[in-house]
Structure formats: structure tokens, C-alpha cells
Amino acid sequence: MSSNSHAGRPASWVAVAMMLIGFVLGGAALPMGPNWLIFWIGAGIVVVGGVMALAVDIMSDVVLEEQHQ
């Protein structure tokens, strides 16, 4: 059993939540016409979330287990 945590930091989860909200907003805009203004707002939110993820170094949240010999 591993004692390592894969939960991530709160700042990383905020970035992920922002990208998820942008993706859902942009995806919901397509069957509504499509409503291109809402789609591009959603795409912009995804980009801002991605930049935020890079800024908080989201990839450092990954914890690899030690190799057992």
C-alpha cells in the first residue's frame, strides 16, 4: 500500500476547475445556435486556466511511487 498522495494542491484544483468550467461553457454554446460569443468566452477561460496551471506548476503535483526490488 502506498503512502503517497495524488490529491494535488488547492491551487492546482482551482486551475483544473477553471478549465473544466470553460470547457463546459464552450461545449454548451455549440448546440445553442451555435452561440459563438459564448463559445469563445469558454475557450478564453480554458486558456486562462491553462496559463494558471503552468504558473502554479501543476505537473509538480505528480508523485511517483518508489520502485520495489
Side-chain angles (χ1 to χ4, degrees):
M1 191 96 187
S2 174
S3 62
N4 294 334
S5 172
H6 297 286
R9 293 171 292 154
S12 299
W13 280 108
V14 170
V16 169
M18 183 178 287
M19 289 186 282
L20 180 63
I21 289 168
F23 183 80
V24 169
L25 183 65
L30 291 176
M32 295 188 311
N35 188 333
W36 293 110
L37 177 63
I38 295 176
F39 172 81
W40 287 113
I41 290 172
I45 292 171
V46 171
V47 169
V48 170
V51 170
M52 183 179 174
L54 290 173
V56 300
D57 195 22
I58 195 170
M59 295 306 289
S60 69
D61 289 351
V62 176
V63 178
L64 300 176
E65 294 183 35
E66 293 181 18
Q67 295 287 333
H68 296 286
Q69 295 179 350

